[in-house]
């Protein structure tokens, strides 16, 4: 697809966005800086983030090119069902706010490896710190940069490598100011993200209406239902083509909970935003993020469904092709190139905001883990606060350079960018989540049990992934536990696979812990007090409101 170059008005709109974000970031940095910046202030913005800044930062860090491009592409291919990642995340944020945050904050936890060291031992902590660094740099940071640069290149025509360098520079500029600058600039990023995203959705629905000789976004939405009814089913049956991606009721009562709870509750990249605040502020921030999550499918999924309807009507066939075959991930860039002058610049700013915010958040988490959990504990135990902050800033730059180099070797899987990232992240999620949840709520869980979950979880994920090459799983099809893949082999859906691996890890951890007599009086066990989980009335009302909306959505689109 040959991109339509941006008009100078679009560049002007983008320049306004850049100046506002950079200027506000500098203002926050000057206003809140201390004579001596300590590590907690730099990495956590301790006590300086408000609930709305925490919530906005969570969303800005979470939403990136994989949502705008990948999830929109999944909307094109499979429809509204892909929204389950966003809507289930809203429910997950409530669970994390009620049950996980009190444990972190009461125990003064600042990093995930720190929790593992306090709950298990330094061996578990160090192994996971190194693992998380590799995962965040090699997979997450690199894929965000690659997908972001690719999307901006398609929309603007700007050289791919120039896009990578510019995105990296912008993200580093924000990250070097510390978490307080990231948190408050993310509020502006989210504003542009939502405004630009809604503008694209408005255009997409209006285009559908116009094609059928009518007008208005409501009419466009009605026409989507009429001409793509199969794209408005939230629960897939086992004989539907995308069952392996979203296996029926497992998205409500199965492995989808592991996907979300691990991401939102056991992920330095995400929880870091709330760890520097008091419990009331942190909970309010997560609740606000839950409300914003309800809105995300309108911004990233509906445009993909609209592109599907237009494609089915014979429009934009050439633009949707890549190497001669249909590529759903082209759906969002195609729509953005149809935006009028000015709005295209706004949408361009929205996409850039999403990518830059995610890069900055990820880089800050990489910096935090390396500085506090590796450099401070292993290489220089006597390092003062200034030295730790200096190492953190250097780490940000080095990580971004590594990501730029590694992004040259990336490509996107045929099933689409978003689904590709979800599946392969799922190789490690069950074991990691088992370590955390057992460490939270069962005092007898031992460090050997944690090591078992870490290693066995990864190995079992690989075994179950490649099991169809050696064993015929067709008998499981009648129970909905397997379905044919593109090669005609019956395999287990990756969300179901995560659920099975998680159960194996938990059972193994229980057996190993019970076999250790010392576990009866485990000094590492956490003291859990029921009063920790009590919530204020405003939070409870907000949480019930979100749950009510989710029940209504799933009832309508079952």
């Amino acid at each position: 697809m040959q991109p339509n170059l941006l008009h100078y008005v679009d560049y002007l709109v983008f320049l306004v966005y850049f100046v506002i974000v950079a200027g506000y970031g500098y203002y926050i940095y000057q206003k809140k800086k201390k004579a001596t910046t300590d590590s907690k202030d730099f990495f956590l913005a301790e006590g300086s983030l408000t609930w709305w800044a925490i919530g906005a930062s969570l969303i800005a860090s979470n939403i990136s090119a994989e949502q705008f491009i990948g999830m929109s592409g999944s909307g094109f291919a499979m429809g509204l069902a892909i929204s389950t990642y966003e809507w289930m995340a809203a429910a997950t944020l409530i669970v994390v706010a009620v049950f996980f945050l009190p444990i972190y904050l009461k125990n003064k936890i600042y990093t995930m490896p720190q929790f593992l060291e306090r709950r298990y031992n330094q061996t578990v902590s160090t192994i996971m710190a190194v693992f998380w660094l590799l995962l965040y740099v090699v997979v997450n940071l690199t894929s965000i940069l690659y997908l972001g640069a690719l999307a901006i290149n398609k929309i603007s025509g700007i050289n791919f490598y120039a896009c990578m360098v510019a995105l990296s520079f912008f993200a580093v500029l924000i990250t070097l100011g510390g978490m307080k600058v990231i948190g408050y600039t993310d509020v502006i990023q989210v504003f542009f993200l939502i405004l630009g995203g809604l503008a694209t959705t408005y255009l997409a629905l209006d285009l559908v209406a116009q094609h059928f000789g009518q007008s208005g976004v409501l009419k466009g939405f009605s026409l989507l239902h009429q001409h793509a009814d199969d794209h408005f089913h939230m629960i897939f049956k086992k004989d539907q083509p995308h069952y392996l991606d979203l296996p029926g009721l497992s998205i409500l009562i199965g492995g989808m909970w592991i996907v979300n709870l691990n991401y939102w509750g056991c992920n330095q990249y995400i929880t870091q935003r709330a760890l520097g605040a008091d419990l009331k502020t942190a909970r309010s921030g997560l609740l606000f993020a839950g409300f914003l999550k309800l809105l995300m499918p309108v911004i990233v999924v509906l445009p993909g469904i609209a592109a599907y309807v237009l494609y089915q009507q014979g429009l934009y066939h050439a633009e949707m092709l890549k190497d001669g075959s249909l590529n759903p991930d082209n759906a969002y860039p195609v729509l953005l190139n149809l935006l009028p002058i000015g709005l295209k610049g706004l949408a361009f700013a929205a996409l850039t905001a999403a990518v830059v915010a995610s890069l900055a958040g990820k880089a800050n988490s990489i910096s935090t883990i390396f500085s506090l959990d590796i450099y401070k504990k292993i290489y220089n135990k006597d390092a003062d606060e200034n030295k730790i902050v200096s190492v953190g800033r250097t780490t940000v730059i080095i990580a971004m350079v590594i990501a730029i180099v590694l992004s040259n070797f990336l490509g996107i899987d045929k099933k689409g960018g978003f689904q590709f990232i979800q599946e392969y992240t799922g190789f490690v999620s069950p074991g990691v989540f088992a370590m955390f949840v057992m460490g939270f709520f069962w005092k007898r869980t031992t460090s050997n049990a944690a090591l078992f979950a870490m290693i066995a979880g990864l190995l079992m994920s690989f075994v179950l992934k490649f099991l169809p090459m050696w064993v015929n799983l067709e008998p499981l099809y009648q129970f909905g536990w397997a379905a044919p893949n593109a090669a005609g082999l019956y395999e287990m859906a990756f969300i179901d696979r995560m659920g099975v691996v998680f159960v194996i890890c938990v059972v193994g951890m229980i057996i190993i812990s019970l076999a250790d007599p010392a576990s009866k009086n485990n000094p590492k066990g956490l003291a859990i007090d029921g009063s920790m989980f009590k919530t204020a009335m405003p939070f409870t009302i907000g949480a019930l409101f979100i749950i009510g909306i989710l029940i209504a959505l799933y009832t309508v689109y079952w």
Side-chain angles (χ1 to χ4, degrees), residues 440-455:
F440 284 154
F441 303 112
W442 195 41
K443 290 183 179 181
R444 293 190 62 172
T445 310
T446 65
S447 55
N448 286 334
L451 285 171
F452 167 80
M454 186 191 310
I455 298 169

Side-chain angles (χ1 to χ4, degrees), residues 454-475:
M454 186 191 310
I455 298 169
L458 184 61
L459 292 177
M460 284 299 301
S461 294
F462 275 102
V463 169
L464 291 178
K465 169 65 177 176
F466 298 106
L467 190 62
M469 298 174 62
W470 313 304
V471 178
N472 182 12
L473 299 181
E474 186 174 0

Side-chain angles (χ1 to χ4, degrees), residues 305-333:
I305 300 176
Y308 170 78
V309 171
L310 293 171
Y311 179 83
Q312 292 298 105
Q313 293 297 312
L315 302 177
Y316 315 119
H317 274 214
E319 291 86 348
M320 288 299 302
L321 299 179
K322 179 182 179 182
D323 301 326
S325 60
L326 177 63
N327 182 13
D329 282 350
N330 278 337
Y332 204 82

Side-chain angles (χ1 to χ4, degrees), residues 505-535:
C505 288
V506 168
V507 171
M509 292 179 77
I510 292 173
I511 294 172
I512 292 170
S513 297
L514 291 177
D516 185 352
S519 69
K520 291 182 179 180
N521 298 300
N522 188 354
K524 295 277 190 175
L526 298 178
I528 301 296
D529 179 2
S531 63
M532 294 168 56
F533 308 124
K534 291 181 179 179
T535 59

Side-chain angles (χ1 to χ4, degrees), residues 250-317:
S250 289
I251 65 170
L252 291 179
I253 57 175
M256 183 61 77
W257 281 102
I258 297 170
V259 174
N260 278 291
L261 285 169
N262 180 70
Y263 180 84
W264 293 102
C266 312
N267 184 350
Q268 180 72 28
Y269 176 44
I270 294 300
T271 54
Q272 188 164 340
R273 273 116 191 92
L275 294 183
D278 61 84
L279 182 58
K280 180 181 177 182
T281 302
R283 276 179 167 168
S284 298
L286 265 64
L287 188 66
F288 179 48
F291 278 106
L292 293 177
K293 269 294 178 185
L294 296 177
L295 183 62
M296 287 302 116
V298 176
I299 293 174
V300 297
V301 179
L302 280 186
I305 300 176
Y308 170 78
V309 171
L310 293 171
Y311 179 83
Q312 292 298 105
Q313 293 297 312
L315 302 177
Y316 315 119
H317 274 214

Side-chain angles (χ1 to χ4, degrees), residues 68 219 416:
F68 271 100
K219 192 62 184 177

Side-chain angles (χ1 to χ4, degrees), residues 122-437:
Q122 189 166 350
T123 301
V124 174
S125 171
T126 302
I127 291 173
M128 284 306 301
V130 172
F131 169 77
W132 270 316
L133 278 179
L134 291 173
L135 181 69
Y136 286 171
V137 175
V138 177
V139 178
N140 297 123
L141 194 68
T142 304
S143 63
I144 292 169
L145 186 59
Y146 173 84
L147 283 170
L150 192 66
I152 291 173
N153 164 257
K154 287 181 178 181
I155 296 163
S156 66
I158 299 172
N159 180 271
F160 173 76
Y161 294 103
C163 290
M164 278 204 300
V165 172
L167 286 171
S168 301
F169 175 77
F170 197 1
V172 167
L173 196 66
I174 293 173
T175 311
L176 293 182
M179 179 53 76
K180 57 179 174 287
V181 173
I182 294 172
Y184 281 105
T185 54
D186 277 351
V187 176
I188 301 177
Q189 308 271 41
V190 164
F191 172 79
F192 277 96
L193 185 159
I194 292 176
L195 187 62
L198 289 176
T200 307
T201 301
Y202 180 93
L203 169 92
L205 294 176
D206 195 50
L207 278 174
V208 171
Q210 288 180 28
H211 177 74
F212 291 98
Q214 301 183 59
S215 63
V217 294
L218 293 179
K219 192 62 184 177
F221 184 71
S222 175
L223 288 165
L224 288 190
H225 275 274
Q226 184 179 334
H227 292 275
D229 180 66
D230 61 327
H231 274 51
F232 284 89
H233 297 162
M234 289 298 297
I235 308 297
F236 290 153
K237 297 179 180 178
K238 63 182 181 181
D239 58 349
Q240 289 180 281
H242 297 288
Y243 184 82
L244 285 175
D245 294 317
L246 296 169
L249 288 176
S250 289
I251 65 170
L252 291 179
I253 57 175
M256 183 61 77
W257 281 102
I258 297 170
V259 174
N260 278 291
L261 285 169
N262 180 70
Y263 180 84
W264 293 102
C266 312
N267 184 350
Q268 180 72 28
Y269 176 44
I270 294 300
T271 54
Q272 188 164 340
R273 273 116 191 92
L275 294 183
D278 61 84
L279 182 58
K280 180 181 177 182
T281 302
R283 276 179 167 168
S284 298
L286 265 64
L287 188 66
F288 179 48
F291 278 106
L292 293 177
K293 269 294 178 185
L294 296 177
L295 183 62
M296 287 302 116
V298 176
I299 293 174
V300 297
V301 179
L302 280 186
I305 300 176
Y308 170 78
V309 171
L310 293 171
Y311 179 83
Q312 292 298 105
Q313 293 297 312
L315 302 177
Y316 315 119
H317 274 214
E319 291 86 348
M320 288 299 302
L321 299 179
K322 179 182 179 182
D323 301 326
S325 60
L326 177 63
N327 182 13
D329 282 350
N330 278 337
Y332 204 82
V334 166
L335 289 174
L336 290 196
N337 277 328
L338 300 175
L339 284 170
I341 293 172
L343 274 182
K344 186 176 180 182
L346 181 63
F348 182 58
L351 180 59
T352 304
V355 176
V356 168
S358 290
L359 286 172
K362 187 65 71 177
N364 186 262
S365 295
I366 291 167
S367 172
T368 303
I369 290 176
F370 179 80
S371 302
L372 298 182
D373 295 300
I374 294 182
Y375 178 79
K376 171 71 174 173
K377 290 182 179 177
I378 299 176
Y379 293 105
N380 189 354
K381 295 181 180 180
D382 300 321
D384 59 23
E385 294 295 300
N386 286 336
K387 181 63 176 178
I388 295 172
V389 172
S390 175
V391 168
R393 287 178 169 141
T394 303
T395 302
V396 168
I397 297 172
I398 293 174
M400 206 66 75
V401 171
I402 293 173
I404 292 175
V405 174
L406 292 178
S407 62
N408 288 285
F409 303 99
L410 280 189
I412 295 301
D413 189 80
K414 291 182 179 180
K415 65 171 62 183
F418 183 78
Q419 286 298 97
F420 173 79
I421 292 170
Q422 296 305 319
E423 176 166 0
Y424 286 93
T425 301
F427 277 92
V428 297
S429 298
V432 172
F433 181 58
M435 275 198 304
F436 273 82
V437 76

